[in-house]
Amino acid sequence: MDNLKTALASKLLQVKAIKLQPADPFTWASGWKSPFYCDNRKTLSFPDLRNFVKLRLVHTIMERFPQAEAVAGVATGAIAQGALVADALQLPFVYVRSKPKDHGLENLIEGEVAPGTKVVVVEDLISTGGSSLKAVDALRKHGCEVAGMVAAYTYGFPVAEEAFAQAGVELATLTDYRHVVAEALRTGYITDADVEVLDQWRKAPDQWCR
């Protein structure tokens, strides 16, 4: 498993889906300042990498959540990957919006999934877990049983781990913060001093500033 996590970390760094800039932080949508940015949607532009992520997610679902009867992607980042995974598994696919449409049928869940269906949720990355677990809540309110969630990447924030535990959702990810930072250090993308900054940020990302 560690070999897989290192392999994907390397591939994400190579296509610049992950950027580490301790000296020039990014600003997340939440307003947090961060020396770390992950954009897994970039993987869709590289056929070999797109296929690698799809197959690893498929294998993870087959191993961890074999009871799944449908796949749900979290909008918008995981719609494409979720659909690819559902197609490979030959399972129905839906996606969950962050909020209902403001016109037409005002759907929150797009597609057809019957109450009682065992659903595995596909996410592109996990930060605080808030938006991911909102999708879980929507599916449960619809009457579905959430078998678990898979994602390509997680920052591994304690707040997310606690939120998933409280929600009773099993999470399986393909790679994570630790493996990305280790690979970035090994390849010379960052220095030991940068690792110290990154680790300080990860301990309290909502309070960190540079």
Side-chain angles (χ1 to χ4, degrees):
M1 180 60 75
D2 274 355
N3 288 341
L4 165 63
K5 290 185 175 183
T6 297
L8 181 54
S10 177
K11 292 175 186 292
L12 293 175
L13 287 164
Q14 286 171 20
V15 302
K16 296 181 171 60
I18 286 179
K19 294 185 178 181
L20 306 176
Q21 296 181 187
D24 185 19
F26 303 95
T27 300
W28 285 4
S30 62
W32 288 4
K33 293 292 183 181
S34 170
F36 197 127
Y37 192 80
C38 181
D39 182 7
N40 278 332
R41 282 170 281 204
K42 271 201 170 186
T43 63
L44 298 169
S45 300
F46 300 88
D48 288 346
L49 179 52
R50 181 178 68 217
N51 197 50
F52 179 88
V53 173
K54 176 190 74 174
L55 291 177
R56 295 318 310 172
L57 289 173
V58 166
H59 292 160
T60 300
I61 291 169
M62 293 173 66
E63 291 170 6
R64 300 280 292 272
F65 311 113
Q67 72 273 37
E69 300 168 326
V71 176
V74 180
T76 60
I79 293 177
Q81 201 69 63
L84 289 168
V85 167
D87 188 62
L89 289 168
Q90 287 296 284
L91 292 176
F93 176 72
V94 299
Y95 70 85
V96 186
R97 294 176 174 273
S98 58
K99 59 182 180 180
K101 281 199 303 186
D102 58 5
H103 60 280
L105 298 177
E106 300 183 351
N107 292 334
L108 181 58
I109 299 172
E110 296 287 5
E112 291 288 335
V113 61
T117 302
K118 296 180 178 65
V119 180
V120 63
V121 180
V122 175
E123 182 61 289
D124 63 333
L125 66 85
I126 307 295
S127 54
T128 64
S131 58
S132 306
L133 292 174
K134 278 180 63 177
V136 169
D137 187 54
L139 289 163
R140 285 174 170 170
K141 286 180 177 177
H142 184 70
C144 297
E145 179 183 333
V146 175
M149 184 181 298
V150 295
Y153 174 81
T154 179
Y155 287 100
F157 293 139
V159 64
E161 294 175 353
E162 183 179 342
F164 274 86
Q166 289 182 349
V169 178
E170 183 179 349
L171 173 66
T173 60
L174 302 187
T175 194
D176 52 33
Y177 170 89
R178 181 170 65 86
H179 287 83
V180 166
V181 171
E183 184 63 11
L185 181 62
R186 186 190 70 79
T187 58
Y189 181 23
I190 57 174
T191 66
D192 287 320
D194 292 328
V195 173
E196 291 181 19
V197 173
L198 288 163
D199 285 346
Q200 289 171 5
W201 161 76
R202 187 171 170 271
K203 289 176 184 175
D206 57 332
Q207 302 172 31
W208 186 85
C209 61
R210 186 69 172 163

